[in-house]
């Protein structure tokens, strides 16, 4: 079974729960900036339960995209050490996408997700034999995209 490496950009996505990552195939790295001085108790306890499979990477010096560069570095180190692993970057930052595309061309399994729940390994495949389910899922996905977009807009939401 492939090892799944999860690299969490905690400055960008404040993950609260790691419940889906309790299996042995998951290795979790939480990247913290120098201003991330307080973490939710649930996250800290979940990381403790992971034992050696969980680790914090704390940046000492702030800087523009400093955390992103650290994630990119660790992604490369882990991919070199385990080229058969699957690497998940948990971040809303689309700046990772060109790197991810490059790594995929190098035959490295990598994906960026905006939440742990959105990781490809937790997506249920839609059966091609049941087209009504496929349409339902597509409509649900479209609705989720619209709602997420409206939430991101904050003050620039449409008035109607």
């Amino acid at each position: 079974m492939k090892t799944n490496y999860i690299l969490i950009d905690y400055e960008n996505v404040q993950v609260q729960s790691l419940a889906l990552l309790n299996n042995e195939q998951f290795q979790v790295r939480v990247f913290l900036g120098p201003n991330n001085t307080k973490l939710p108790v649930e996250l800290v306890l979940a990381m403790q339960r992971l034992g050696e499979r969980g680790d914090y990477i704390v940046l000492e010096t702030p800087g523009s995209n400093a955390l992103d560069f650290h994630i990119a570095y660790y992604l490369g180190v882990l991919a070199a050490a385990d080229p058969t692993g699957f690497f998940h970057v948990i971040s809303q930052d689309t700046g990772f996408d060109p790197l991810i595309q490059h790594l995929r061309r190098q035959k490295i399994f990598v994906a960026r997700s905006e939440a742990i729940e959105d990781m490809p390994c937790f997506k249920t495949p839609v059966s091609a034999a049941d087209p009504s389910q496929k349409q339902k899922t597509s409509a649900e996905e479209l609705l989720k995209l619209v709602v997420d977009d409206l939430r991101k807009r904050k003050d620039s939401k449409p008035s109607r």
Side-chain angles (χ1 to χ4, degrees), residues 46-154:
M47 286 293 286
Q48 283 180 325
R49 281 191 293 274
L50 291 174
E52 291 182 6
R53 295 183 302 111
D55 194 14
Y56 297 102
I57 289 98
V58 183
L59 276 67
E60 297 177 11
T61 309
S64 179
N65 292 323
L67 197 73
D68 298 348
F69 286 119
H70 278 74
I71 292 172
Y73 167 78
Y74 278 89
L75 181 57
V77 168
L78 291 169
D82 184 4
T84 63
F86 197 115
F87 305 92
H88 305 270
V89 176
I90 306 300
S91 179
Q92 294 177 359
D93 188 347
T94 58
F96 288 108
D97 294 347
L99 172 62
I100 288 170
Q101 289 173 0
H102 174 73
L103 292 173
R104 285 180 179 166
R105 284 192 296 271
Q106 306 303 313
K107 308 293 186 220
I108 295 172
F109 298 103
V110 61
R112 181 184 63 83
S113 302
E114 293 189 3
I116 290 171
E117 299 79 16
D118 296 336
M119 289 171 32
C121 58
F122 298 127
K123 297 283 185 183
T124 54
V126 176
S127 171
D130 186 2
S132 65
Q133 180 65 27
K134 188 173 185 177
Q135 287 178 340
K136 181 180 176 186
T137 302
S138 297
E140 289 173 0
E141 289 175 358
L142 288 173
L143 181 61
K144 183 182 181 317
L145 285 172
V146 170
V147 170
D148 289 345
D149 180 58
L150 289 171
R151 286 187 178 139
K152 288 179 189 174
R153 292 183 186 209
K154 300 194 190 293

Side-chain angles (χ1 to χ4, degrees), residues 146 150 153 156-160:
V146 170
L150 289 171
R153 292 183 186 209
S156 64
K157 291 180 186 172
S159 61
R160 293 182 186 211

Side-chain angles (χ1 to χ4, degrees), residues 18 21-24 26-30 43-56:
L18 302 177
L21 307 177
N22 284 334
N23 294 332
E24 290 296 317
F26 294 111
Q27 296 275 332
V28 180
R29 305 293 182 269
V30 177
L43 175 64
V44 172
L45 293 175
M47 286 293 286
Q48 283 180 325
R49 281 191 293 274
L50 291 174
E52 291 182 6
R53 295 183 302 111
D55 194 14
Y56 297 102

